[in-house]
Amino acid sequence: MNRTIQHTFFYPHPIEVVWSYLTESKLLAQWLMENNFKPEIGHHFYFKTKPKFKLDFDGHIDCEVLKMVKYKSLSYSWKGGGSKENPKLNSIVTWTLQSKNNGTVLSLEHSGFEGLKNYPSYFIMNMGWIKIGKRFLANLNLIDRANA
């Protein structure tokens, strides 16, 4: 069985601002994780977070930028757990942006949760992406307060 996480968020901010929070390493670290992201197709990067050894996760996620269309979409691989040579989770994260009602609709698709071995990751990350979407908004709202 192959599972996919899908969430859609609305942010009352211009698409250019939302895009910058997806593609600028320092801004990305504020709402997601420490990283060395660069918005270049083929760039290999990592996310780093707290390990969860009981789930065979060392806190390191290896990624590669697969596709990118400025202000429209961003897709990257997401590999973690197990070993670097044989990751437990080998998945793809895709962000899609659309301007709407003086704001931005941001859609997330995280695909590739195959088999029973990835069910715990799917369950945890499905809930986690909802929390992350709220943290994303909180960071965008800091811009509003700073500019007020």
Side-chain angles (χ1 to χ4, degrees):
M1 178 177 260
N2 192 354
R3 293 175 181 82
T4 299
I5 295 170
Q6 294 181 314
H7 294 293
T8 301
F9 308 97
F10 176 78
Y11 301 112
H13 297 82
I15 206 165
E16 295 83 5
V17 172
V18 174
W19 180 257
S20 67
Y21 272 77
L22 289 174
T23 60
E24 293 180 24
S25 181
K26 288 182 181 181
L27 296 176
L28 187 58
Q30 290 177 10
W31 64 272
L32 190 50
M33 288 179 263
E34 178 185 331
N35 66 85
N36 65 339
F37 180 85
K38 289 183 185 175
E40 301 167 1
I41 294 174
H43 175 66
H44 290 265
F45 67 101
Y46 65 82
F47 286 114
K48 207 170 173 185
T49 190
K50 185 178 176 181
K52 292 182 177 39
F53 295 112
K54 289 182 181 179
L55 296 174
D56 193 23
F57 177 61
D58 65 1
H60 195 87
I61 301 151
D62 292 302
C63 304
E64 178 184 358
V65 178
L66 302 173
K67 297 177 186 174
M68 186 175 59
V69 178
K70 193 172 185 176
Y71 305 131
K72 294 199 181 290
S73 65
L74 171 65
S75 183
Y76 45 82
S77 61
W78 179 288
K79 299 177 183 180
S83 67
K84 189 170 184 172
E85 299 77 27
N86 188 22
K88 191 173 173 181
L89 177 63
N90 186 355
S91 60
I92 295 176
V93 171
T94 301
W95 298 101
T96 306
L97 300 86
Q98 179 184 6
S99 292
K100 188 173 185 180
N101 298 331
N102 295 319
T104 303
V105 175
L106 180 64
S107 298
L108 163 73
E109 180 177 287
H110 191 165
S111 61
F113 294 88
E114 294 182 4
L116 290 175
K117 71 177 182 174
N118 282 316
Y119 185 74
S121 297
Y122 167 81
F123 182 76
I124 291 166
M125 294 180 79
N126 190 34
M127 299 308 293
W129 280 119
I130 293 170
K131 291 178 185 175
I132 289 167
K134 292 176 183 175
R135 193 166 48 219
F136 191 112
L137 178 60
N139 275 275
L140 288 171
N141 286 337
L142 289 175
I143 296 171
D144 293 341
R145 284 187 230 128
N147 293 332

